[in-house]
Amino acid sequence: MGWSTREVARLAGTTLRTVRHYHEIGLLDEPERLPNGYKVYRTEHLVRLLQIRRLTGLGFSLAAIGAMQDGSDDLDETLSAVDAELAATIARLEEARREIAKLRHRPVPTDLPFAISAAATDARLSPADRSLFAVISHVVGEDNTEHWQALLRDYERDEVADEFDALPPDADEETRERLARHLTPRMIALSEQHPGPPRTIDQADQGRQAAAEALFDAIRDLYNPAQIDVLIRIWKEHG
């Protein structure tokens, strides 16, 4: 006596499709067939399915399960690799829980890491500025969170910042120059208070060029031509 594919799948707590997939990738040996062509699964197949289920529950990939053999020299190395992956996953989940706890204590927009979002909210940043910080923190790296948080704490919004946010794309030369003259000293003071972040664009995971292109594209998308002109004037004075 034995079990059909459907029956052995049900006994093992898995699905018919999963059993067939394990056959396809070589994790499960093919059973014998009856004269009528039906497969007959034995206890060894059920035990193997239970083993695979147990190992995937422990975090093993199917590739790792296929490569490992009990008692082999590679087993300890495989176990160490899986343990390291689980430790990293646990660390990520613990960090996620800490951030969720902060959000429950103080609900802020989730477009940015919590610390930057809270500081940006207190600083009353515009939606465009918040979006730019979201891009910066992603492409350059969240290692700079403390830097941006401290900088935003010292940022003081005024009527001119409101005027910049509402600046129409066809703003006249006099208005652009006036805004740039007002904003430049404040930007210089902030950068002197908070000189470069610990992680720079040169250290971006995507590479400097890709990160720079992402930032320039974001600026073009988020600000209109007149606002970009003001930013260029500030940058030239600052530089």
Side-chain angles (χ1 to χ4, degrees):
M1 294 296 293
W3 301 290
S4 68
T5 308
R6 190 177 303 278
E7 288 170 336
V8 79
R10 184 171 61 251
L11 281 170
T14 187
T15 66
L16 189 65
R17 175 179 290 185
T18 298
V19 173
R20 288 171 176 165
H21 179 60
Y22 291 166
H23 283 314
E24 291 170 359
I25 63 176
L27 273 186
L28 183 65
D29 291 338
E30 289 284 348
E32 63 179 297
R33 290 181 180 270
L34 296 175
N36 59 11
Y38 286 105
K39 293 179 179 179
V40 180
Y41 289 85
R42 304 295 182 185
T43 303
E44 63 187 271
H45 300 102
L46 175 60
V47 170
R48 178 58 171 166
L49 286 171
L50 294 173
Q51 180 190 34
I52 295 170
R53 184 180 179 189
R54 183 172 59 256
L55 290 173
T56 54
L58 290 174
F60 284 75
S61 67
L62 295 181
I65 295 172
M68 68 182 291
Q69 293 181 0
D70 290 337
S72 70
D73 294 336
D74 296 333
L75 178 60
D76 186 62
E77 183 179 343
T78 302
L79 292 172
S80 296
V82 172
D83 186 57
E85 290 177 8
L86 289 173
T89 299
I90 290 170
R92 287 194 299 272
L93 292 174
E94 288 176 341
E95 177 58 31
R97 291 198 68 200
R98 284 192 289 270
E99 180 135 344
I100 288 171
K102 293 174 185 176
L103 286 167
R104 294 181 69 183
H105 179 71
R106 184 191 175 182
V108 293
T110 55
D111 53 343
L112 292 161
F114 175 82
I116 301 178
S117 182
T121 300
D122 291 340
R124 297 187 295 118
L125 288 194
S126 69
D129 291 342
R130 291 186 69 99
S131 294
L132 183 60
F133 267 99
V135 175
I136 291 172
S137 65
H138 175 70
V139 301
V140 179
E142 293 188 16
D143 299 352
N144 296 330
T145 293
E146 291 185 7
H147 170 83
W148 298 126
Q149 184 182 20
L151 183 146
L152 288 170
R153 283 199 192 113
D154 290 332
Y155 172 74
E156 296 180 5
R157 188 177 180 86
D158 61 8
E159 299 82 6
V160 176
D162 293 336
E163 187 178 355
F164 173 83
D165 291 339
L167 191 67
D170 59 351
D172 58 50
E173 169 67 22
E174 181 181 350
T175 301
R176 299 185 192 195
E177 182 60 26
R178 176 174 56 79
L179 291 178
R181 281 202 311 270
H182 180 89
L183 294 171
T184 297
R186 301 180 64 205
M187 296 302 104
I188 291 175
L190 269 179
S191 64
E192 288 176 348
Q193 268 184 286
H194 307 277
R199 186 182 178 97
T200 68
I201 195 170
D202 292 322
Q203 299 163 305
D205 291 337
Q206 300 93 336
R208 188 184 193 285
Q209 182 174 347
E213 288 175 354
L215 292 178
F216 288 138
D217 287 343
I219 290 171
R220 284 193 291 266
D221 284 341
L222 294 169
Y223 302 98
N224 67 43
Q227 291 171 320
I228 291 175
D229 181 54
V230 173
L231 293 174
I232 291 173
R233 295 174 193 230
I234 294 172
W235 178 77
K236 285 182 178 178
E237 288 295 324
H238 185 276

